[in-house]
Amino acid sequence: SQQGEEDPQALSIQEGENATMNCSYKTSINNLQWYRQNSGRGLVHLILIRSNEREKHSGRLRVTLDTSKKSSSLLITASRAADTASYFCATDFNTPLVFGKGTRLSVIA
Amino acid sequence: EAEVAQSPRYKITEKSQAVAFWCDPISGHATLYWYRQILGQGPELLVQFQDESVVDDSQLPKDRFSAERLKGVDSTLKIQPAELGDSAMYLCASSSRGETQYFGPGTRLLVL
């Protein structure tokens, strides 16, 4: 069964705009990770945020974590056509990673 | 940059046939994972190895699926017999410390 649920399921924006994706989960976590998957390819790790962290940055990515609400958000700033992909959150709590269903992001040039 | 290798990239088979997928993890990565990803869904763990030992295979349909990592390096996932519902992407990943996972390109299986 899948723990995380990403929202929205699909998102379409213009190049240069910011994209925000949300992830909600059900149980306690040690870490929450975000991965990207280009169509028909494997997943690429983007960022890991630990349960005692509230915000983390990596380049154009900003991740927040609210453990009281059991939710996380991924912000991609100044989006590019190459950001078009599916984005998954994954959680773990002394267990293997459990992935959500993903958000499909389309960035239109 | 080191990558996880998988083969074949695509496989078409008829139901009731046997299929096998191969994965070569990043050198030095002790943990290896096999996932199944149905179109439009996130990956779901089938089996996790630590070196040559199975750590978690609770979601592996053991009546038809088997996985091995005999020397603690590369791994093979087998399905026998294949069923129509097995059509999916099969992903292999590896990690060194159990947090960040590095994924291979996957094998897309179509069962006719």
Side-chain angles (χ1 to χ4, degrees):
Chain A
S1 63
Q2 292 176 311
Q3 146 104 295
E5 289 233 2
E6 291 88 345
D7 172 61
Q9 290 187 348
L11 179 61
S12 184
I13 60 173
Q14 298 288 326
E15 201 167 33
E17 294 180 339
N18 295 342
T20 300
M21 289 159 266
N22 302 296
C23 169
S24 59
Y25 56 92
K26 297 172 185 162
T27 65
S28 298
I29 61 170
N30 289 332
N31 307 302
L32 186 143
Q33 302 183 44
W34 285 91
Y35 286 79
R36 183 188 75 226
Q37 184 178 36
N38 291 83
S39 180
R41 304 288 297 179
L43 281 73
V44 174
H45 180 261
L46 294 177
I47 198 164
L48 180 151
I49 187 166
R50 302 190 187 281
S51 60
N52 62 353
E53 297 176 312
R54 292 296 167 258
E55 187 170 315
K56 207 161 182 179
H57 297 256
S58 176
R60 294 184 296 112
L61 306 180
R62 172 178 169 253
V63 169
T64 61
L65 179 65
D66 187 334
T67 52
S68 66
K69 295 181 180 178
K70 293 187 169 59
S71 67
S72 173
S73 67
L74 170 67
L75 168 67
I76 304 174
T77 60
S79 63
R80 306 166 181 169
D83 295 327
T84 294
S86 291
Y87 292 81
F88 296 90
C89 68
T91 57
D92 71 79
F93 184 66
N94 300 326
T95 62
L97 281 183
V98 180
F99 288 84
K101 294 184 179 181
T103 291
R104 293 188 306 280
L105 173 66
S106 297
V107 181
I108 303 166
Chain B
E1 183 176 309
E3 295 181 342
V4 175
Q6 288 189 249
S7 67
R9 293 292 311 280
Y10 304 94
K11 180 70 178 179
I12 300 174
T13 190
E14 295 184 345
K15 63 180 181 180
S16 79
Q17 295 298 303
V19 292
F21 313 130
W22 176 79
C23 172
D24 191 13
I26 293 172
S27 178
H29 281 193
T31 311
L32 184 147
Y33 312 82
W34 282 102
Y35 290 90
R36 178 170 58 187
Q37 184 179 25
I38 296 169
L39 192 64
Q41 304 284 319
E44 293 190 308
L45 182 70
L46 291 174
V47 61
Q48 177 183 345
F49 289 92
Q50 182 68 29
D51 298 310
E52 67 275 9
S53 301
V54 172
V55 173
D56 187 336
D57 64 355
S58 57
Q59 300 303 310
L60 188 71
K62 297 182 188 64
D63 57 335
R64 298 185 301 108
F65 286 64
S66 64
E68 60 183 16
R69 193 184 183 198
L70 293 176
K71 297 182 180 178
V73 180
D74 59 339
S75 176
T76 302
L77 178 70
K78 297 179 181 176
I79 308 175
Q80 182 173 19
E83 296 181 351
L84 297 178
D86 296 332
S87 294
M89 174 80 90
Y90 290 82
L91 294 162
C92 179
S94 68
S95 67
S96 61
R97 294 186 300 161
E99 291 184 340
T100 299
Q101 296 186 20
Y102 297 85
F103 283 79
T107 296
R108 185 171 295 282
L109 173 67
L110 178 61
V111 182
L112 302 175

